[in-house]
Amino acid sequence: MLRSLAPALIPLLAPRTALLAIVVTVCALGAGSWGAVTLLDHRDTLARAGAETGRAAAAVAGQALGVLEPRAARVDALAQRLAEHPDEAADGAAVAAVAGADTAGALAVVDAAGRSLAGPPVAITAGDAYRPARGAGPAVLTVEVGGVASLALARRIAGPDGEPDRFVLGPVPRPDLAAVLDAARGDAALYHPDGRRLIGDGPERWAPDDGARLWSRRPVDGLPLFAGVSVARAAVLAPWWSRLERGAAVVSLSLAALLGVAAVGWRSLHREETAMRALAEANTRLERRVEERTADLSALNRKLIAALADKERANQAKARFLSAANHDLRQPFQALRLFHHLLSERLADPRDRAIADKMGTALDSGEALLHALLEVATLDAGVVKPTIDAVSMDDVLKGVAAEFAPAAAAKGLELRVLPCAATVRSDPVLLARMLRDLVGNAVAYTAGGGVLVGCRRRGQWLRVEVWDTGAGIPPEHLDSIFEDFVQLANPERDRTRGLGLGLAKVRRKAALLGHTVDVRSRPGRGSVFSITVPMAAPEPAAAPSAARGGTGEPRPAARRILVVEDDPVQRAGMQLLLESWGHRVTAAADGGAALAAVRAGGIPDAIVTDFRLPGDLTGVQVVTRIAALADRPVPGIILTGDTAPERIREAVATGCRLLHKPFSPDRLHDALQALAATDPGGGTGGATAARRTAQHAAA
């Protein structure tokens, strides 16, 4: 079961895997993007803060230089004067006057011990404050002037021994620097080069590597100090942390929404997977049921094939039986017909002739059945080749009316045949036979009323209809009436009411001609049979051909005729009949005897031979051998009682004329007369004449 479901589950797992991959990818991309943006924002925030502290330090350095530079200039000037006039340096009053002690921002002079010599009293706040001042350059000290923290710029004055014994100080009170230091963002201060805070709110020591603050320093040009600005990293990153919290909230909500959508999609895919699994299981069950039904149908089909094969074998056996029975029955019928003809000509007593006439009627009934079987066999054999031509329906209808008017009058029926000037495309012989079969059925199965034959035009088609007022046909039997030997109203098989082959022949001829045969019927009211044929342009009527001669025409001149027949009764009857017509007859029982008779007595004028003969030669081969002996075509008539399709095709392929048993003496007379009228050098008994004889043999 799992193996059968695997192909169905793989397409289902793929969407779920794809959904999971999409969700993970989106989450990773979203989190990664947000993390990258956050890190970049952290770096940019620190960078901006560093840049701002740098700018603040530069501003502090510049402003401090502006405040300290004038004081430094005064200190340098006083120190230079005192160095140039040592006497003034020794005189405290002179120094005080020069330092300007009585003015704001006055300079102060102190000795090496830090005692004030001139100017405002100055308290040194750092014990080693003088050390930086021992050099040649200016120094920076932190002092208190009147209790006010100040930044003092100092310059040494060297004594006679070259050692500094006095110092000029230029104090700058912190309030003077407050505006400079307080304007900076962060903690600003002025620092000694060694990192000590001199004045301001910054850390006491310059420590840029502590990691807790951001540091920026800028030197104060010309002075031994630098401006430093620092700001706590926590203060700088506070906005960043706020943005981080808001971004985390937004990302969390987005991920939650995405996971919610993914959950909904996952459940939808799960439901679809469940439905598809159920569908796959149902499909598997359906396939199993289809396989079972297919197996059942295969078994039934095999049974049907076997049944059809049995039916085909039965049909073939029936055909062989009918062919053999037909052939075997034709032999005695043919002998009876010949002897009946001879007997009728020799009877003079009217009562004897009446008996002979009744015998002839019985023979006619039997021969009608055999001829019907022959016609069906001929149609099934496919040897009938229709000759399509323009056919005048008026001529066909007149012939039908003339043929069936006596039979209809004998039954008290009114036969009305409406004239029709239309011309159709069909075989005139086959179309006339189809119509005769339909009208004959209508007359036979109509007890009272009448039969109407007429035509209706339907566009390019013409419907030839035969109406009757008979008992009608039940709807369930409308198809079966076209089958062989089916007679709904004749269960007792009365031969005077037909054989049940008329409609079967009509159906076969219609299929051969491409026409359509239809039937409509209402039980108790009557039936309508119709033949639909294509219309054709009317043509001038052809001159009527002369009727074929029968026994009333002059008989042909006496001829030498070779009769080859294995049945002694038929051979004797044929010999008597031909001799009564004035011919000289030589009879033989088989092909060998016929050839021997020809060698002994000469080439005959005509050959009348049975198709089947004892020995190795057939009737066709006998005619061929004799023609070879004569070195010219010899007219021949092939007699056969075989209605098998293959036998009929074989007989039609010969160059001889063909007569089916039983045939009347008149038909034999006509065939001999046709042979006499045919040019021997033109192919006497050619295939065309033989084919025409085969087509109309059952007429």
Side-chain angles (χ1 to χ4, degrees):
M1 177 63 73
L2 292 177
R3 182 177 301 175
S4 62
L5 290 177
L9 292 180
I10 289 176
L12 293 177
L13 293 178
R16 297 178 68 179
T17 304
L19 177 62
L20 181 61
I22 291 173
V23 171
V24 171
T25 303
V26 171
C27 290
L29 289 176
S33 301
W34 175 71
V37 170
T38 301
L39 291 177
L40 292 175
D41 186 28
H42 181 273
R43 187 190 66 179
D44 292 345
T45 299
L46 293 178
R48 286 194 301 271
E52 289 179 1
T53 55
R55 288 192 295 271
V60 170
Q63 294 181 16
L65 179 63
V67 173
L68 297 176
E69 188 176 19
R71 187 61 54 92
R74 294 184 62 191
V75 170
D76 289 342
L78 178 58
Q80 184 176 3
R81 181 176 178 179
L82 292 178
E84 293 175 351
H85 302 281
D87 53 347
E88 292 182 0
D91 186 356
V95 172
V98 174
D102 57 345
T103 62
L107 302 181
V109 180
V110 298
D111 59 13
R115 295 185 298 271
S116 296
L117 299 177
V122 177
I124 305 300
T125 60
D128 58 351
Y130 294 104
R131 292 179 184 175
R134 295 179 186 275
V140 179
L141 306 174
T142 56
V143 299
E144 287 187 359
V145 179
V148 178
S150 302
L151 179 67
L153 299 177
R155 174 71 70 172
R156 72 181 179 81
I157 301 175
D161 56 359
E163 291 292 328
D165 56 357
R166 291 181 177 87
F167 295 91
V168 177
L169 302 178
V172 179
R174 189 188 188 293
D176 293 347
L177 296 172
V180 175
L181 299 175
D182 294 343
R185 182 178 181 272
D187 298 330
L190 297 176
Y191 290 89
H192 193 272
D194 64 2
R196 291 180 291 110
R197 185 183 65 185
L198 297 176
I199 190 170
D201 298 331
E204 293 183 0
R205 298 290 301 177
W206 184 259
D209 297 331
D210 62 355
R213 303 178 69 84
L214 296 178
W215 303 82
S216 292
R217 56 179 287 178
R218 293 292 185 273
V220 179
D221 292 339
L223 299 176
L225 77 165
F226 63 86
V229 178
S230 65
V231 61
R233 291 174 64 93
V236 172
L237 294 177
W240 178 82
W241 283 107
S242 177
R243 291 193 298 272
L244 178 65
E245 292 175 355
R246 291 194 296 271
V250 172
V251 171
S252 299
L253 290 176
S254 300
L255 291 178
L258 178 61
L259 292 176
V261 173
V264 172
W266 189 273
R267 287 194 298 270
S268 176
L269 290 176
H270 177 70
R271 289 193 298 269
E272 183 178 356
E273 175 186 345
T274 303
M276 291 300 292
R277 186 183 295 110
L279 181 60
E281 293 175 355
N283 186 47
T284 302
R285 292 193 298 270
L286 180 59
E287 289 179 353
R288 187 164 52 250
R289 293 180 62 185
V290 168
E291 291 176 356
E292 294 173 355
R293 297 298 185 271
T294 302
D296 295 341
L297 289 176
S298 298
L300 291 176
N301 191 37
R302 287 192 294 271
K303 293 180 181 178
L304 180 60
I305 292 174
L308 290 176
D310 293 341
K311 181 180 179 182
E312 182 64 22
R313 285 192 294 271
N315 288 337
Q316 292 176 359
K318 181 182 69 173
R320 288 193 298 270
F321 168 76
L322 289 176
S323 177
N326 195 12
H327 177 270
D328 294 342
L329 286 173
R330 286 175 182 273
Q331 299 292 85
F333 266 104
Q334 183 62 58
L336 286 173
R337 177 61 67 181
L338 294 177
F339 287 117
H340 174 263
H341 180 76
L342 294 173
L343 181 61
S344 298
E345 289 185 345
R346 297 182 182 184
L347 293 177
D349 189 342
R351 290 179 298 179
D352 295 336
R353 295 186 64 88
I355 295 175
D357 291 341
K358 292 180 180 180
M359 180 186 298
T361 302
L363 287 174
D364 291 340
S365 178
E367 288 180 0
L369 174 59
L370 292 179
H371 283 304
L373 292 174
L374 172 62
E375 186 173 7
V376 171
T378 304
L379 292 171
D380 290 339
V383 299
V384 177
K385 305 300 180 183
T387 303
I388 304 300
D389 199 355
V391 180
S392 172
M393 283 306 303
D394 194 51
D395 294 341
V396 175
L397 294 176
K398 287 179 179 179
V400 171
E403 181 177 352
F404 289 97
K411 293 188 64 174
L413 302 177
E414 179 184 4
L415 175 61
R416 295 179 57 198
V417 179
L418 303 180
C420 178
T423 303
V424 298
R425 297 284 299 175
S426 184
D427 185 298
V429 176
L430 296 179
L431 178 61
R433 290 184 183 177
M434 292 170 64
L435 192 56
R436 285 204 302 268
D437 286 332
L438 293 180
V439 176
N441 273 358
V443 173
Y445 289 99
T446 301
V451 176
L452 174 64
V453 182
C455 301
R456 296 175 185 267
R457 183 165 180 172
R458 293 292 184 265
Q460 298 299 317
W461 302 86
L462 185 72
R463 286 173 58 94
V464 184
E465 299 179 342
V466 178
W467 295 67
D468 65 61
T469 58
I473 304 169
E476 63 271 16
H477 295 302
L478 288 178
D479 292 332
S480 63
I481 60 175
F482 290 96
E483 298 178 2
D484 296 343
F485 301 105
V486 173
Q487 289 180 294
L488 300 181
N490 189 17
E492 65 277 3
R493 308 300 295 176
D494 182 3
R495 294 299 80 177
T496 62
R497 302 180 62 183
L499 304 172
L501 291 174
L503 293 179
K505 293 188 294 181
V506 169
R507 181 186 61 181
R508 286 174 168 86
K509 293 169 186 173
L512 182 64
L513 295 172
H515 300 343
T516 302
V517 178
D518 297 313
V519 58
R520 305 191 308 273
S521 183
R522 295 178 62 182
R525 300 291 297 274
S527 305
V528 182
F529 287 85
S530 62
I531 305 172
T532 303
V533 295
M535 295 286 294
E539 297 180 358
S545 60
R548 291 193 306 174
T551 56
E553 295 181 356
R555 294 177 178 177
R559 310 179 72 188
R560 293 179 59 194
I561 298 177
L562 173 63
V563 175
V564 186
E565 173 62 64
D566 59 325
D567 189 305
V569 177
Q570 290 200 58
R571 186 170 62 249
M574 184 69 66
Q575 184 173 359
L576 289 174
L577 178 63
L578 294 175
E579 288 177 348
S580 69
W581 290 346
H583 299 295
R584 289 173 294 159
V585 178
T586 300
D590 53 32
L595 293 176
V598 170
R599 291 189 182 97
I603 304 301
D605 297 325
I607 303 171
V608 179
T609 176
D610 192 9
F611 184 79
R612 292 184 178 181
L613 295 173
D616 299 332
L617 299 178
T618 64
V620 175
Q621 293 170 337
V622 169
V623 175
T624 304
R625 294 286 184 88
I626 295 175
L629 291 175
D631 196 20
R632 61 176 176 80
V634 178
I637 298 175
I638 303 298
L639 308 177
T640 180
D642 196 343
T643 59
E646 59 272 14
R647 296 285 76 81
I648 297 174
R649 283 191 290 268
E650 186 178 354
V652 170
T654 69
C656 300
R657 292 185 175 271
L658 181 66
L659 288 181
H660 282 84
K661 299 178 182 180
F663 53 85
S664 65
D666 292 340
R667 292 184 63 82
L668 179 59
H669 179 274
D670 292 344
L672 290 173
Q673 188 178 26
L675 288 180
T678 305
D679 181 12
T684 302
T688 303
R691 183 161 48 249
R692 187 182 302 114
T693 305
Q695 291 183 17
H696 306 305

